[in-house]
């Protein structure tokens, strides 16, 4: 019996246990743990409490995708477009409780899939908002909604194209456009107000002769002796401005008149002796006074007297600037017609800290001086360091071109120094610009005209001097049959022995008689061979057809088969016999020969063709006359007529010294072939073919393979490919089936005590699928004591014909190896 004190103590302990089990319902805390929330399929949806990374909170996971957001509202603004979301979803869907944000995506392509590249901004408020997308060209905009678990919705519809709003004068604040904000050539004459530029606004040396209007400078405006050679810019003084006989040879310095100083068309062909050249630059090496005048007073351009490519001077530009800046220098300008071409080239050298693009370019202008376009040769990116590089190109004047300005430049430069030297601007003459007969033989450089420069059939017989083409000038096989006139080559033109078998075309000798000699080759097809001996070789294994009987026993032409020795017949080979079409007639008899193996029995050959009016015939190879000879032989006895069982029969017998020959039979019935023998063995040769190949066609209803022992099935493959193994059949090696898939995967748990999954892929047949998995581990189950590391569970879900989800749960986050298998039925 228990006393009262004992019962009271037991009741106290029981009450304590009850209170301990109901701590949560009384508002107690979760200590150093978390509560997992899962759906009906076991998928983890949330973790409430302490997380795997040490933080604490409620983390939403694997949530469903949110509804598709409504289409964006897009408008053009300065510098880009605005995209707005009105806070609504497609088809009036309600915003989910786990909604997080709206992503704004934009692309220049009308059809695109939102990704990290197209993401421009996000809208974080559920009431909707507007964001600005900076762009220079038209764009298309789409929206994507995301939940707190990161799941994305289907993208909204695409809205566009929209581009930035053009900038007009009212959009600019006074004084906001400074010199650095103006692009090169942005300010033209039409944009400058009358009298806006006075003499104070002009820098010293800023007005060059090409900037003066026609007749702007009269005689009264020029001081006596003010005009000297260096003071006259290229093209500044034309013929119409100089009085007759005003300039004589005395006034011209040697070499002072170059191509650039001569007006287009001023000198006609009857005044010229053409000696080559054609560089339009008067100072291509940048070493003379002309270049000096160009850079005088310029803060960035100068002549460098310490560096040159093949000379002591070069043209230098300082590219250092606070932002990408173009620094251009016009070398000269001239009149030009649309379609005219120029070859531009220059050497450049860039300092190691240079940042920019070296450039030589043509600026095309119309008749009023308006800008049309540019064409350039440039180095992008340039080669840096103390080495000279060359850039070149050929440019074509576009439509409406009247003048061209030739420039060198440092484009978009921010740092460093750039040098130019050995510039070239040459006109490219088209075929229509060369007078007929202007190009004579002495004007063509040796080797300039090669095969690629000749049109097809351009050189005919009348253009080739007699004896010019010799044998050494002809490529091998250059003269083909269609180039030789009929009967040109006679026997007297052929060297003895020059025509051999390789020189004769297949079937080239037809209807001709070959007398005497030996014919050596591979095949003799068609025709008649009379007399002589036909043989496949002179030594070794060979077949010989001879009109002379080899012995008195053979009275007709004989086919001999040799095994290798000069006069030795191989054992078991046919050495006599004639194939005849006479019905049911034996046309040969056995013969024997003696060799190193002793007396060997030779076979006779009997060929019986079907009798007229019947469907019967047989082939017999036999004639064993001695049972004492211990050698192998074969007996083939077959008939086209059915035997007593209704089947055609072929019987093969062999003898290896036993008293009774062993026989194998091949029976052929209606659509069935049977083999009766001790065993059927196949030994495939080395190839990529199947050792046994069986293909049942549509309509075949029987088994593809059926193996029995004493009438009992051991192995069956039916007509659908399903295999069944019966009895005690043993399978060695690998056994595979279309309804079984196995594999191996590794899973790293996202947190301790947190089921984590991965998807495995395969392909099986069937309609019902079962999945299995097991952990490859030495620590299964809950581990004790403290320091938990056990694998507490492995499972499979969502099993289909192509994939399944494999799960693992363990006490820590150690990567776990999982073996899995899927079977179907």
């Amino acid at each position: 019996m228990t006393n009262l004190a004992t019962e009271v103590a037991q009741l106290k302990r029981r009450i304590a246990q009850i209170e301990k089990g109901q701590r949560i319902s009384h508002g107690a805390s979760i200590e150093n743990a978390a509560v997992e929330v899962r759906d009906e399929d076991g998928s983890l949806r949330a973790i409430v409490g302490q997380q795997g990374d040490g933080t604490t909170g409620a983390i939403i996971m694997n949530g469903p995708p949110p509804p598709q957001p409504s289409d964006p509202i897009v408008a053009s603004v300065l510098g880009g477009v605005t995209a707005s979301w009105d806070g609504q979803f497609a088809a009036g869907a309600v915003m989910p409780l786990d909604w997080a944000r709206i992503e704004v995506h934009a692309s220049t392509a009308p059809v695109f899939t939102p990704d990290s590249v197209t993401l421009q901004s996000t809208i974080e408020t559920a009431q909707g908002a507007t964001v600005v997308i900076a762009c220079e060209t038209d764009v298309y905009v789409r929206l994507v909604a995301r939940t707190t678990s990161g799941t994305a919705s289907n993208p909204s519809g695409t809205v566009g194209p929209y581009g930035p709003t053009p900038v007009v004068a009212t959009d600019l604040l006074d004084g906001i456009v400074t010199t650095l904000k103006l692009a090169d050539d942005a300010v033209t004459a039409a944009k400058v107000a009358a009298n806006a530029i006075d003499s104070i606004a002009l820098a010293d040396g800023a007005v060059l002769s090409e900037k003066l209007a026609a007749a702007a400078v009269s005689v009264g405006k020029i001081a006596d002796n003010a005009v000297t050679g260096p003071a006259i810019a290229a093209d500044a003084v034309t013929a119409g401005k100089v009085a007759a006989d005003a300039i004589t040879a005395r006034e011209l310095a040697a070499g002072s008149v170059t191509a650039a100083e001569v007006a287009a068309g001023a000198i006609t062909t009857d005044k010229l002796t053409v000696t080559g050249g054609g560089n339009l630059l008067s100072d291509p090496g940048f070493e003379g006074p002309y270049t000096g005048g160009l850079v005088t007073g310029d803060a960035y351009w100068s002549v460098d007297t310490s560096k040159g490519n093949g000379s002591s001077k070069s043209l230098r530009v300082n590219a250092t600037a606070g932002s990408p800046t173009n620094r251009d220098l016009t070398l000269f300008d001239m009149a030009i017609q649309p379609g005219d071409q120029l070859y531009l080239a220059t050497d450049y050298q860039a300092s190691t800290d240079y940042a920019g693009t070296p450039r030589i370019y043509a600026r095309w202008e119309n008749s009023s001086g308006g800008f049309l376009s540019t064409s350039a040769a440039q180095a992008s990116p340039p080669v840096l360091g103390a080495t000279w590089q060359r850039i070149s190109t050929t440019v074509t004047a576009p439509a409406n071109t009247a003048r061209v300005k030739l420039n060198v430049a440092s484009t978009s430069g921010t740092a460093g120094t750039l040098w130019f030297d050995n510039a070239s601007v040459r006109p490219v003459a088209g075929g229509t610009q060369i007078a007929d007969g202007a190009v004579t033989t002495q004007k063509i450089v040796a080797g300039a005209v090669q095969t690629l420069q000749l049109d097809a059939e351009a050189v005919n017989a009348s253009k080739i001097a007699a004896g010019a083409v010799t044998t050494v000038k002809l490529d091998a096989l250059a003269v083909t049959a269609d180039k030789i006139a009929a009967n040109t080559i006679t026997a007297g033109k052929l060297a003895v022995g020059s025509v051999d078998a390789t020189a004769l075309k297949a079937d080239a000798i037809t209807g001709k008689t070959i007398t005497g000699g030996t014919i050596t080759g591979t095949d003799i097809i068609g025709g008649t061979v009379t007399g002589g001996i036909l043989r496949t070789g002179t030594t070794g294994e060979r077949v010989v057809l001879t009109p002379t009987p080899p012995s008195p026993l053979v009275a007709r032409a004989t086919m001999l088969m040799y095994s290798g020795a000069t006069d030795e017949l191989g054992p078991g080979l046919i050495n006599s016999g004639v194939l005849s079409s006479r019905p049911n007639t034996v046309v040969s008899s056995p013969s024997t020969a003696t060799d190193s193996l002793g007396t060997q029995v030779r076979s006779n050959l009997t060929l019986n063709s079907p009798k007229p009016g019947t469907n019967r015939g047989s082939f017999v190879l036999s004639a064993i006359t001695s049972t004492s000879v211990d050698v192998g032989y074969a007996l083939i006895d077959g008939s086209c007529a059915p035997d007593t069982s209704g089947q055609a029969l072929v019987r093969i017998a062999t003898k290896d010294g036993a008293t009774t020959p062993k026989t194998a039979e091949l029976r052929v019935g209606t659509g069935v072939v049977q083999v009766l023998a001790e065993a059927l063995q196949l030994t495939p040769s080395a190839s990529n073919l199947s050792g046994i190949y069986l293909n049942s066609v549509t309509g075949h209803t029987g088994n593809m393979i059926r193996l029995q022992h004493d009438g009992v099935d051991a192995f069956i493959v039916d007509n659908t490919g399903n295999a069944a193994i019966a009895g005690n059949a043993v399978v060695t090696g690998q056994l595979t089936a279309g309804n079984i898939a196995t594999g191996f995967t590794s899973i790293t748990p996202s947190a301790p005590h947190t089921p984590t999954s991965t998807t495995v892929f395969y392909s099986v047949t069937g309609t019902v699928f079962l999945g299995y998995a097991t952990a490859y581990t030495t620590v299964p189950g809950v581990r004790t004591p403290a320091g938990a590391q056990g694998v507490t569970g492995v499972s499979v879900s969502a099993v289909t014909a192509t994939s399944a989800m494999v799960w693992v749960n363990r006490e820590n986050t150690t990567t776990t190896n999982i073996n899995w298998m899927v079977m179907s039925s």
Side-chain angles (χ1 to χ4, degrees), residues 170-192:
T170 56
D171 295 322
L172 300 177
L173 299 175
D174 293 339
I176 196 172
V177 179
T178 61
T179 304
L180 294 178
K181 300 301 182 182
L182 292 177
D184 292 343
D185 305 318
V187 180
T188 61
K191 303 302 181 182
V192 180

Side-chain angles (χ1 to χ4, degrees), residues 277-358:
N279 194 346
L280 300 180
L281 295 175
S282 61
D283 188 13
F286 308 115
E287 300 179 5
Y290 178 76
T291 303
L294 294 179
V295 301
T296 299
D298 195 297
Y300 303 105
W301 291 89
S302 61
V303 174
D304 191 331
T305 60
S306 63
K307 182 190 295 288
N309 188 13
S311 62
S312 60
K313 295 181 180 181
S314 61
L315 185 62
R316 178 178 61 195
V317 57
N318 181 1
T320 301
S323 60
T325 301
N326 298 340
R327 293 198 173 137
D328 304 68
L329 182 66
T330 300
L331 302 181
F332 76 98
D333 68 347
M334 67 177 186
I336 197 168
Q337 297 294 322
D340 286 354
Q341 291 185 308
L342 296 174
Y343 170 78
L344 310 181
T346 187
D347 296 339
Y348 79 88
Q349 184 178 131
S351 63
T352 56
D353 62 339
Y354 174 72
T357 301

Side-chain angles (χ1 to χ4, degrees), residues 222 227-229 232-233 235-254 256-257 261:
I222 302 175
V227 179
T228 60
I232 303 177
D235 301 327
V237 180
T238 60
K241 304 303 180 180
V242 181
D245 301 323
I247 300 177
T248 64
R250 183 181 64 82
E251 277 74 36
L252 298 176
S256 61
V257 179
E261 277 69 52

Side-chain angles (χ1 to χ4, degrees), residues 77-387:
V77 296
L78 291 176
V81 298
T82 59
S84 302
W85 178 55
D86 58 5
Q88 302 299 315
F89 292 88
V94 178
M95 178 179 292
L97 297 178
D98 61 346
W99 177 87
R101 62 188 177 277
I102 294 293
E103 294 180 349
V104 181
H105 294 262
S107 173
T108 57
V111 179
F112 71 97
T113 299
D115 55 21
S116 59
V117 177
T118 61
L119 179 62
Q120 304 296 319
S121 184
T122 61
I123 296 175
E124 307 290 338
T125 174
Q127 287 75 29
T130 299
V131 298
V132 176
I133 302 173
C135 61
E136 297 180 356
T137 58
D138 290 350
V139 296
Y140 298 82
V141 182
R142 303 185 77 178
L143 303 180
V144 175
R146 286 198 183 269
T147 63
T148 55
S149 62
T151 305
S153 70
N154 290 328
S156 71
T158 303
V159 177
Y162 283 89
T165 300
V167 179
V168 298
T170 56
D171 295 322
L172 300 177
L173 299 175
D174 293 339
I176 196 172
V177 179
T178 61
T179 304
L180 294 178
K181 300 301 182 182
L182 292 177
D184 292 343
D185 305 318
V187 180
T188 61
K191 303 302 181 182
V192 180
N195 302 320
I197 300 176
D198 54 21
S199 60
I200 299 176
L202 296 176
D204 294 340
V207 180
L208 303 177
S209 58
E210 59 266 26
K211 304 301 182 181
L212 297 176
V217 180
S218 60
V219 176
K221 302 298 183 179
I222 302 175
D224 294 340
N225 299 318
V227 179
T228 60
I232 303 177
D235 301 327
V237 180
T238 60
K241 304 303 180 180
V242 181
D245 301 323
I247 300 177
T248 64
R250 183 181 64 82
E251 277 74 36
L252 298 176
S256 61
V257 179
T258 63
E261 277 69 52
V262 180
I267 302 177
T268 58
T269 55
D270 59 330
K271 304 298 184 181
L272 292 176
T273 299
V274 179
T275 59
N279 194 346
L280 300 180
L281 295 175
S282 61
D283 188 13
F286 308 115
E287 300 179 5
Y290 178 76
T291 303
L294 294 179
V295 301
T296 299
D298 195 297
Y300 303 105
W301 291 89
S302 61
V303 174
D304 191 331
T305 60
S306 63
K307 182 190 295 288
N309 188 13
S311 62
S312 60
K313 295 181 180 181
S314 61
L315 185 62
R316 178 178 61 195
V317 57
N318 181 1
T320 301
S323 60
T325 301
N326 298 340
R327 293 198 173 137
D328 304 68
L329 182 66
T330 300
L331 302 181
F332 76 98
D333 68 347
M334 67 177 186
I336 197 168
Q337 297 294 322
D340 286 354
Q341 291 185 308
L342 296 174
Y343 170 78
L344 310 181
T346 187
D347 296 339
Y348 79 88
Q349 184 178 131
S351 63
T352 56
D353 62 339
Y354 174 72
T357 301
R359 197 165 182 248
I360 180 171
Y361 69 94
R363 171 190 164 93
W364 312 110
E365 298 179 350
N366 57 26
S367 57
S368 61
F371 171 74
L372 296 177
S373 63
T374 61
S375 302
Q378 62 185 31
S380 180
V383 176
L384 305 182
T387 175

Side-chain angles (χ1 to χ4, degrees), residues 102 331 480 569 604 650 740 774 813:
I102 294 293
L331 302 181
T480 57
L569 291 175
N604 75 322
V650 176
I740 300 177
T774 183
T813 59

Side-chain angles (χ1 to χ4, degrees), residues 257-594:
V257 179
T258 63
E261 277 69 52
V262 180
I267 302 177
T268 58
T269 55
D270 59 330
K271 304 298 184 181
L272 292 176
T273 299
V274 179
T275 59
N279 194 346
L280 300 180
L281 295 175
S282 61
D283 188 13
F286 308 115
E287 300 179 5
Y290 178 76
T291 303
L294 294 179
V295 301
T296 299
D298 195 297
Y300 303 105
W301 291 89
S302 61
V303 174
D304 191 331
T305 60
S306 63
K307 182 190 295 288
N309 188 13
S311 62
S312 60
K313 295 181 180 181
S314 61
L315 185 62
R316 178 178 61 195
V317 57
N318 181 1
T320 301
S323 60
T325 301
N326 298 340
R327 293 198 173 137
D328 304 68
L329 182 66
T330 300
L331 302 181
F332 76 98
D333 68 347
M334 67 177 186
I336 197 168
Q337 297 294 322
D340 286 354
Q341 291 185 308
L342 296 174
Y343 170 78
L344 310 181
T346 187
D347 296 339
Y348 79 88
Q349 184 178 131
S351 63
T352 56
D353 62 339
Y354 174 72
T357 301
R359 197 165 182 248
I360 180 171
Y361 69 94
R363 171 190 164 93
W364 312 110
E365 298 179 350
N366 57 26
S367 57
S368 61
F371 171 74
L372 296 177
S373 63
T374 61
S375 302
Q378 62 185 31
S380 180
V383 176
L384 305 182
T387 175
W388 287 97
Q389 307 293 326
R390 191 160 184 84
I391 52 176
S392 63
T393 190
T394 298
V395 299
T396 304
N400 301 321
T401 300
R403 297 194 66 82
V404 60
K405 290 183 178 179
L406 276 302
N407 303 266
V408 288
S410 169
T411 303
S412 299
T414 57
T417 305
L418 190 64
W419 293 266
F420 293 97
D421 204 355
N422 300 326
S424 178
V425 180
R426 300 176 183 274
V428 178
T432 57
Q433 296 173 296
I434 301 176
D436 294 340
V439 180
T440 58
T441 304
Q442 59 268 32
K443 299 302 183 182
I444 301 176
V445 178
V449 179
Q450 303 184 24
T451 307
L452 294 177
Q453 278 69 49
L454 297 176
D455 289 338
E457 302 179 357
V459 179
N460 53 43
S462 63
K463 303 300 183 182
I464 302 175
V469 180
T470 60
T471 306
V472 296
K473 301 300 183 182
L474 296 176
D475 289 338
L477 306 178
V479 180
T480 57
D482 58 328
K483 305 301 182 184
I484 303 175
N487 302 319
T488 299
I489 301 177
T490 60
K493 302 299 183 181
L494 299 176
V496 176
S498 60
V499 179
D500 55 18
T502 60
L504 294 177
K505 180 182 178 183
D507 304 325
I509 301 178
T510 58
K512 304 297 181 181
T513 300
I514 300 176
T515 304
T518 300
I519 299 176
T520 302
T522 55
D523 297 319
I524 300 177
I525 302 175
T528 301
V529 179
T530 304
I533 298 174
L534 298 179
R535 67 184 75 195
T536 60
T538 57
T539 61
E541 295 182 358
R542 63 195 186 280
V543 176
V544 178
L545 293 178
T546 173
T548 304
S551 69
L553 298 177
V554 182
R556 53 177 61 89
T558 305
M559 178 174 70
L560 304 178
M561 298 183 184
Y562 290 89
S563 63
T566 304
D567 295 318
E568 203 174 89
L569 291 175
L573 297 177
I574 300 173
N575 65 359
S576 66
V578 176
L579 302 180
S580 174
S581 62
R582 290 178 292 171
N584 207 31
T585 302
V586 177
V587 295
S588 66
S589 59
S591 63
T592 61
T594 301

Side-chain angles (χ1 to χ4, degrees), residues 737-825:
N739 67 328
I740 300 177
T742 61
F744 165 86
T745 187
S746 296
I747 302 177
T748 301
S750 59
H753 306 288
T754 301
T756 305
S757 66
T758 187
T759 301
V760 296
F761 299 92
Y762 49 83
S763 177
V764 296
T765 59
T767 57
V768 179
F769 308 99
L770 301 176
Y772 308 90
T774 183
Y776 186 86
T777 180
T778 60
V779 289
V782 178
R783 313 299 293 177
T784 56
Q789 59 180 348
V791 179
T792 58
V794 178
S795 63
V796 179
S797 67
V799 184
T800 68
T802 57
S803 66
M805 293 184 67
V806 178
W807 296 81
V808 66
N809 188 19
R810 69 181 299 160
E811 297 175 294
N812 60 2
T813 59
T814 300
T815 299
T816 307
N817 298 326
I818 307 296
N819 296 319
W820 58 267
M821 180 175 69
V822 173
M823 300 181 64
S824 64
S825 60

